[in-house]
Amino acid sequence: MRRIRPATPEDGALIHQLILDLAIYEREPDAVEGSPAIYSAQLAAGQPPFECLILEDRDEPAGFALFFPTYSTWRAKPGIHLEDLFVKPEFRGRGHGKALLEALARLCQERGCARLEWAVLDWNKPAL
């Protein structure tokens, strides 16, 4: 059973591990400068610099979507930038990535956003 939930400050270590897993996938294992404590503190802030959706498959963390607000001056509306979307290899092929995108799209609609933005590395054929 799949469940998508908002991350809380208690998820700092989980978010950190998922970011490390993503960095390995993106061939940048030494690029991560954050720590569990930093992610926890940032999520606990009055205005967190990011939000995160955690996807669980049978109560096991399987993936995440980390995003932050943007703004469209022409449309005079907020938006969302998807910074990272990652599903652990052992959970791929089950529609989890699509489910995270759909959850984020619903969140955009609920918030009256003008757009949802993201970029994909050109070598990442499965994501493209």
Side-chain angles (χ1 to χ4, degrees):
M1 172 182 280
R2 176 176 33 222
R3 177 174 88 121
I4 297 175
R5 63 173 178 81
T8 67
E10 290 75 30
D11 291 311
L14 172 59
I15 292 168
H16 182 252
Q17 184 58 58
L18 289 166
I19 290 170
L20 290 174
D21 293 344
L22 172 62
I24 291 166
Y25 177 75
E26 290 188 352
R27 305 172 191 148
E28 294 285 342
D30 299 321
V32 177
E33 296 179 14
S35 70
I38 289 172
Y39 300 124
S40 290
Q42 289 177 339
L43 279 172
Q47 288 188 305
F50 72 92
E51 294 178 71
C52 186
L53 296 177
I54 303 291
L55 185 141
E56 296 170 343
D57 185 331
R58 294 183 176 90
D59 296 324
E60 256 191 88
F64 78 117
L66 190 143
F67 58 97
F68 54 85
T70 62
Y71 187 77
S72 170
T73 55
W74 288 15
R75 307 258 329 260
K77 291 184 176 185
I80 288 178
H81 176 82
L82 173 60
E83 179 68 11
D84 292 323
L85 187 142
F86 179 73
V87 175
K88 292 179 178 182
E90 63 269 28
F91 292 99
R92 292 183 187 153
R94 301 180 193 180
H96 292 331
K98 182 178 178 183
L100 281 165
L101 276 174
E102 289 172 345
L104 200 50
R106 279 191 301 277
L107 193 59
C108 282
Q109 289 179 325
E110 291 167 9
R111 294 180 182 184
C113 292
R115 60 183 170 232
L116 170 59
E117 304 170 78
W118 73 91
V120 177
L121 296 170
D122 60 357
W123 58 261
N124 192 344
K125 300 301 181 206
L128 290 171

